[in-house]
Amino acid sequence: MESYINITDEVLGELNGRDCIFIDKVTFEDVAGLTFEGEINGWLASKIREEKWIPYKLMFKRVISHFVCELDTYENMMGFVGCSDFAIIENSKMMSKIPIRSDYDKSRYKHFRVFTYDYVFDILAESYELAADLDKAKPMGNGG
């Protein structure tokens, strides 16, 4: 059975709420991976809890698969998914069904799920890196 492990970032904490993660740009670069850039609602980050927009970059490394779906459609398709906006899915059905090439070590990959304001991303990758730029945070009402 699948289980959801909420990811708690050292700087931001857990990210929870539909208005938490906004994406301005998504870039896919073959082996380098999948990168999201945008802003996080500081009020919905458990270690921040301030009304400000925090620029971030979220990079997934060694991506072998990613799926994106409009949020409401995803919820209609999958039902309620009880996890934060950024989580690891253990015992993932998606991971178990994907026919990874024989020269790849399947045990190195994880299933990540990212909920944003508009979309849900399911990503199979080796690792991730989240960088939030608190020095460039802006008060709410001036961005986002």
Side-chain angles (χ1 to χ4, degrees):
M1 172 175 232
E2 288 187 338
S3 60
Y4 307 103
I5 310 300
N6 296 335
I7 294 174
T8 303
D9 182 70
E10 286 182 25
V11 174
L12 300 170
E14 278 189 25
L15 305 174
N16 286 294
R18 180 162 183 173
D19 294 341
C20 186
I21 301 174
F22 287 82
I23 294 177
D24 295 326
K25 180 179 173 183
V26 178
T27 309
F28 181 72
E29 299 177 47
D30 196 15
V31 176
L34 185 64
T35 302
F36 299 89
E37 294 178 67
E39 293 179 316
I40 290 174
N41 178 338
W43 185 251
L44 298 174
S46 67
K47 288 189 176 182
I48 303 295
R49 295 289 187 222
E50 293 179 30
E51 291 188 3
K52 57 184 172 183
W53 294 110
I54 303 165
Y56 76 90
K57 184 182 274 192
L58 176 57
M59 300 155 281
F60 293 94
K61 299 178 181 174
R62 306 273 311 164
V63 174
I64 57 170
S65 176
H66 64 279
F67 169 77
V68 61
C69 186
E70 186 274 329
L71 177 66
D72 295 317
T73 302
Y74 190 90
E75 289 178 345
N76 289 339
M77 183 173 66
M78 302 297 286
F80 175 74
V81 179
C83 62
S84 72
D85 292 353
F86 187 30
I88 293 175
I89 314 305
E90 290 191 342
N91 301 314
S92 160
K93 292 176 191 172
M94 185 177 181
M95 181 69 80
S96 69
K97 291 179 181 178
I98 193 162
I100 295 176
R101 30 188 282 194
S102 62
D103 59 330
Y104 282 18
D105 179 359
K106 193 173 191 174
S107 68
R108 295 179 66 175
Y109 296 92
K110 294 179 178 79
H111 180 174
F112 298 94
R113 183 168 291 147
V114 179
F115 283 89
T116 71
Y117 182 76
D118 294 312
Y119 296 96
V120 178
F121 294 83
D122 280 297
I123 302 151
L124 303 183
E126 281 190 4
S127 62
Y128 77 92
E129 182 180 323
L130 175 58
D133 193 343
L134 296 177
D135 293 334
K136 291 186 179 173
K138 299 177 285 189
M140 290 190 167
N142 295 334

